């Protein structure tokens, strides 16, 4: 099983700052990585798929990059609504797995 | 806009079978893959399995022997059964749609672009 590691578990930033959230895979997953945002009491929302493609309706301030084992979700300028938990997910191999998440909190 | 809604018992006794149904509205169930994903309280996400409208299924190997999925296209819904549950199966259970429409593109994409609100199932006597 491919393990996705997201560190730090918590990231404290201020609105307007740039956020960089890493995700590392235990083996190469090519570009088969997605990012989801989850707010309290809500289901996850797909933000980015295939490393760098924004899902429908996702603002341009969200971008993804990486390949192989190291990936990054970047939020160029944080809006108040961006403070949430972010999960990465791989589809390179069975079973599809998620990282443990990074909580983005207001500093 | 597609909407998904989970339904089923919220409390299940240990060793019994958890049963959930996901009702899909706003889209036909026929041309997508449909998934179950769960999340223990305060923890990460675990993919349980998926089903296509043909009845073809794939499950997470860690749960495979206990998971049964089915689909009813006439009702536009699909279902999950998880047998021999323990406290470790207590979680929020989500149903989710695969991103790819099989009538227009290669599928499944294995990304999940529409989710139900989730339902908390507690395993306890």
């Amino acid at each position: 099983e491919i393990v996705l590691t997201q560190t730090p578990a918590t990231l404290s930033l201020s609105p307007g700052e740039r956020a960089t959230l890493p995700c590392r895979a235990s083996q190469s997953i090519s570009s088969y990585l997605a990012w989801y945002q989850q707010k309290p009491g809500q289901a996850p929302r797909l933000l980015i798929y295939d490393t760098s493609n924004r899902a429908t309706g996702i603002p341009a301030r969200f971008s993804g990059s990486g390949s192989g084992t190291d990936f990054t979700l970047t939020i160029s300028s944080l809006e108040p609504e961006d403070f949430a938990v972010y999960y990465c997910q791989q589809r390179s191999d069975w079973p599809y797995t998620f990282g443990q998440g990074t909580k983005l909190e207001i500093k | 806009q597609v909407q998904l809604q989970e339904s089923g018992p919220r409390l299940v006794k240990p060793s019994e079978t958890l049963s959930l149904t996901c009702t899909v509205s706003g889209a036909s169930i026929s041309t997508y893959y449909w998934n179950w994903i769960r999340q223990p309280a305060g923890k990460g996400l675990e993919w349980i399995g998926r089903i296509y409208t043909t009845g073809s299924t794939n499950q997470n190997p860690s749960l495979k022997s206990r998971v049964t999925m089915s689909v009813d296209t006439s009702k536009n819904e699909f279902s999950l059964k998880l047998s021999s549950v323990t406290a470790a199966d207590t979680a929020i259970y989500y149903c989710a749609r695969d991103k790819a429409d099989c009538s227009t593109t290669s599928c499944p994409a294995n990304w999940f672009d529409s989710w139900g609100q989730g339902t908390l199932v507690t395993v306890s006597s």
Side-chain angles (χ1 to χ4, degrees), chain B residues 3-117:
Chain B
Q3 292 187 320
L4 293 79
Q5 178 67 58
E6 303 90 349
S7 60
R10 306 295 180 90
L11 180 65
V12 182
K13 290 181 168 54
S15 80
E16 295 190 345
T17 296
L18 177 159
S19 296
L20 293 172
T21 295
C22 183
T23 301
V24 180
S25 59
S28 171
I29 201 171
S30 298
T31 60
Y32 289 89
Y33 280 79
W34 302 92
N35 298 265
W36 290 98
I37 295 163
R38 69 181 183 178
Q39 184 174 35
K43 296 188 178 180
L45 299 155
E46 181 181 31
W47 179 77
I48 299 170
R50 71 179 178 208
I51 188 166
Y52 190 55
T53 54
T54 57
S56 172
T57 62
N58 300 97
Q59 299 89 14
N60 190 321
S62 68
L63 300 169
K64 185 173 183 178
S65 62
R66 299 196 290 131
V67 169
T68 303
M69 291 178 285
S70 60
V71 61
D72 187 336
T73 55
S74 66
K75 294 182 179 179
N76 231 37
E77 63 185 33
F78 60 104
S79 299
L80 169 72
K81 292 186 186 298
L82 181 65
S83 63
S84 305
V85 296
T86 69
D89 295 310
T90 294
I92 297 172
Y93 285 75
Y94 295 100
C95 54
R97 188 185 74 172
D98 187 274
K99 185 182 180 305
D101 181 345
C102 299
S103 67
T104 61
T105 190
S106 173
C107 67
N110 302 315
W111 309 128
F112 314 117
D113 70 341
S114 297
W115 296 62
Q117 64 185 25

Side-chain angles (χ1 to χ4, degrees), chain A residues 11-105:
Chain A
L11 187 60
S12 300
L13 294 170
S14 300
E17 289 194 292
R18 181 183 184 90
T20 303
L21 284 68
C23 175
R24 173 165 288 179
S26 58
Q27 65 189 71
S28 177
I29 57 172
S30 186
S31 62
Y32 298 133
L33 189 96
W35 291 93
Y36 297 81
Q37 176 194 67
Q38 187 177 34
K39 296 180 179 179
Q42 296 184 17
R45 177 175 70 144
L46 177 65
L47 298 176
I48 302 284
Y49 62 95
D50 289 334
T51 296
S52 59
N53 295 298
R54 277 190 302 277
T56 302
I58 302 303
R61 64 181 182 273
F62 291 91
S63 64
S65 62
S67 66
T69 60
D70 291 293
F71 300 85
T72 302
L73 173 69
T74 300
I75 310 172
S76 59
S77 179
L78 285 165
E79 297 287 343
E81 62 267 27
D82 297 337
F83 292 91
V85 180
Y86 292 84
Y87 294 96
C88 54
Q89 177 233 327
Q90 65 83 20
R91 70 167 181 113
S92 176
D93 197 9
W94 294 102
Y96 308 129
T97 51
F98 295 83
Q100 286 302 300
T102 291
K103 181 180 181 181
L104 184 55
E105 67 175 22

